[in-house]
């Protein structure tokens, strides 16, 4: 039995009166400006679930923008009773379509993520959220220092701040960073994600003056500025980094895996060159004697022959060895370090008292 209804074609904002009937498995309708149209009932979707007193609005998969608006409640009741998928919510067909599209979308995002982490890890490193860098950086530090005590004294902390301030002089673009000293005999320094720079007690003891530590610090800030720790993390854990960012977790067991953490800090020679260049430019602008970095490295080569000392504290950092195992290519690198130009008097990085306080920060 034909009824009156309204049709929107989805292209013009005009409703057209039509006559509508069911013929077999189709809805058939036509009107003054509407040629006879057949919509299969199986292809119909309710725009909203049918509701008493409300016009029933349906569309068809062949013309998703078009609408039929039916006010005849008896007709709607009969139609919906015979074709349950019109009850609203989602039909299985629709759900399957949604699932296919969603899976396709996830695959596309995963593929994009895979390409990014595989071919552009440093780009990814620069878009990682600060909160994530900070959290994962903290986990990396905890994993590396093991049970070693973090050293803080009021005078030592103020000396650290003075050293960072000396490097910030003339360098307004230093990345956000923190510097901590841990009570470990190993001679090393490293940068973890989130600008966390770690020095061991051993490296402070090895240094003959604040210029040497300032040089090492400038080098580590170079790693921070280039996001080398984050880049390594992206390289080593791949897509896990993105999953971890999106899910708010720490990226699996990575940060509790000592071998993986050790690999994290073994930079490429290119990364070392980038950090060195950054250090030289930063010291130049801050008017800090770059020869401190050079004499420190030369001393390390002479004393240790570049070999890593045996592990003592069984922390991950001990398995890493000294500065040479984490910052490779030292011998050719140090030749690049030259004094400040003639006529420039280098700034005093720390007073003798401040230097003493820093060296004795672990008691
Ligand atoms: Zn380095």
């Amino acid at each position: 039995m034909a009824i009156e209804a309204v049709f929107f074609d989805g292209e013009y904002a005009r409703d057209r009166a039509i006559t509508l009937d069911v013929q077999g498995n189709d809805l058939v309708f036509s009107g003054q400006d509407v040629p006879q149209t057949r919509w299969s009932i199986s292809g119909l979707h309710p725009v909203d679930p049918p509701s008493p007193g409300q016009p029933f609005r349906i569309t068809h998969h062949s013309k998703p923008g078009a609408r039929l608006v039916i006010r005849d409640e008896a007709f709607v009741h009969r139609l919906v009773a015979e074709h349950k998928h019109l009850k609203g919510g989602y039909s299985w067909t629709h759900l399957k379509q949604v699932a296919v599209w969603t899976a396709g979308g996830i695959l596309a995002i995963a593929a994009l993520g895979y390409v990014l982490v595989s071919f552009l890890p440093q780009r990814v490193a620069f878009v990682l959220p600060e909160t994530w860098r900070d959290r994962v950086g903290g986990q990396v530090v905890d994993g590396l220092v093991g049970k070693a005590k973090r050293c803080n004294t009021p005078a030592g902390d103020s000396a650290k701040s003075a050293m960072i301030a000396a490097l910030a002089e003339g360098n307004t673009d230093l990345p956000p960073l923190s510097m901590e000293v841990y009570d470990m005999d190993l001679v090393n320094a490293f940068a973890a994600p989130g600008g966390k720079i770690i020095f061991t007690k051993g490296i402070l003891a090895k240094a003959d003056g604040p210029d040497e530590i300032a040089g090492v610090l400038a080098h580590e800030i170079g790693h921070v500025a280039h996001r080398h720790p984050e880049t390594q993390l992206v390289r080593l854990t791949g897509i896990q980094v993105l999953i971890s960012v999106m899910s708010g977790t720490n990226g699996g067991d990575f940060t509790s895996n000592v071998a993986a953490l050790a690999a994290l800090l073994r930079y490429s020679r290119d990364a070392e060159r980038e950090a060195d260049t950054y250090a030289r430019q930063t010291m130049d602008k801050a008017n800090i004697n770059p020869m401190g970095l050079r004499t420190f490295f030369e001393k390390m080569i002479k004393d240790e022959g570049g070999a890593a000392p045996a592990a003592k504290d069984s922390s991950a950092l001990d398995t890493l060895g000294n500065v040479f195992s984490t910052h490779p290519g030292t011998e050719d690198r140090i030749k690049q370090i030259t004094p400040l130009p003639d006529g420039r008097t280098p700034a005093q990085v720390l007073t003798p008292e401040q230097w003493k306080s820093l060296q004795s920060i672990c008691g």
Side-chain angles (χ1 to χ4, degrees):
M1 188 187 68
I3 57 146
E4 302 297 316
V6 170
F7 176 66
F8 292 91
D9 65 5
E11 287 160 29
Y12 297 96
R14 194 158 72 85
D15 52 340
R16 297 157 209 256
I18 49 142
T19 310
L20 172 69
D21 203 357
V22 176
Q23 288 181 10
N25 295 319
D26 297 332
L27 281 187
V28 180
F29 56 92
S30 60
Q32 206 178 355
D33 305 324
V34 183
Q36 192 178 70
T37 308
R38 267 177 190 274
W39 279 4
S40 62
I41 294 174
S42 61
L44 294 173
H45 286 299
V47 176
D48 318 294
S51 165
Q54 296 295 318
F56 185 41
R57 302 191 301 149
I58 48 178
T59 184
H60 194 257
H61 70 72
S62 65
K63 217 166 178 229
R67 301 276 185 271
L68 278 174
V69 182
I70 311 170
R71 289 182 181 277
D72 189 314
E73 291 204 16
F75 182 91
V76 171
H77 191 79
R78 218 167 41 238
L79 188 68
V80 172
E82 285 170 21
H83 305 281
K84 306 286 186 205
H85 75 279
L86 295 177
K87 274 199 173 137
Y90 292 96
S91 67
W92 278 113
T93 321
H94 190 205
L95 272 184
K96 269 188 271 175
Q97 281 170 354
V98 169
V100 166
W101 278 102
T102 308
I106 289 169
L107 275 178
I109 291 169
L112 178 66
Y114 178 78
V115 167
L116 283 173
V117 298
S118 307
F119 298 103
L120 297 166
Q122 205 160 4
R123 292 284 180 85
V124 175
F126 273 96
V127 296
L128 292 169
E130 293 303 311
T131 49
W132 186 90
R133 292 175 62 215
D134 192 60
R135 179 163 45 84
V136 173
Q139 289 160 351
V140 168
V141 172
D142 289 348
L144 282 168
V145 301
K147 293 192 175 73
K149 177 177 76 102
R150 193 177 75 195
C151 305
N152 295 98
T153 61
D157 289 342
S158 122
K160 280 190 303 190
S161 303
M163 183 171 279
I164 294 167
L167 277 166
E169 193 69 39
N171 291 291
T172 49
D173 54 349
L174 284 193
L177 63 102
S178 63
M179 174 184 179
E180 295 293 351
V181 180
Y182 280 83
D183 192 355
M184 304 170 85
D185 292 329
L186 190 80
V187 180
N188 209 333
F190 68 93
K196 297 179 194 300
I197 297 174
I198 306 301
F199 281 77
T200 62
K201 181 180 75 180
I203 198 170
L204 294 181
K206 189 88 182 168
D208 281 313
D211 288 1
E212 295 190 351
I213 292 302
V216 175
L217 177 59
H219 174 92
E220 297 304 333
I221 298 174
H223 285 309
V224 171
H226 286 287
R227 298 269 170 106
H228 289 152
E230 288 87 349
T231 305
Q232 282 284 85
L233 202 57
V234 173
R235 256 193 212 114
L236 290 169
T237 66
I239 204 88
Q240 257 198 66
V241 163
L242 300 183
I243 294 169
S244 137
V245 167
M246 288 189 280
S247 63
T249 58
N250 71 4
D253 300 332
F254 182 81
T255 51
S256 57
N257 180 331
V258 168
L261 283 172
L264 176 69
L265 292 189
R266 287 205 186 94
Y267 294 127
S268 68
R269 280 160 197 260
D270 282 344
E272 288 309 308
R273 266 191 291 275
E274 280 184 330
D276 278 346
T277 303
Y278 185 97
R280 289 203 308 273
Q281 289 167 349
T282 302
M283 286 188 284
D284 182 70
K285 286 191 215 156
N287 204 38
I288 290 173
N289 184 9
M291 295 308 279
L293 185 58
R294 181 162 176 161
T295 54
F296 181 77
F297 280 140
E298 284 170 345
K299 190 167 45 185
M300 287 293 291
I301 289 173
K302 191 160 158 266
D303 290 6
E304 314 263 356
K312 285 175 199 148
D313 304 330
S314 75
S315 71
L317 202 53
D318 273 324
T319 65
L320 268 183
N322 67 17
V323 279
F324 293 122
S325 46
T326 47
H327 305 277
T330 311
E331 287 193 60
D332 24 295
R333 283 169 42 210
I334 57 177
K335 291 181 195 139
Q336 311 275 328
I337 306 171
T338 52
L340 289 177
D342 285 347
R344 274 172 62 182
T345 313
Q348 186 184 42
V349 172
L350 294 181
T351 65
E353 296 73 38
Q354 285 173 320
W355 172 236
K356 215 173 141 194
S357 304
L358 183 58
Q359 269 196 313
S360 58
I361 194 169
C362 293

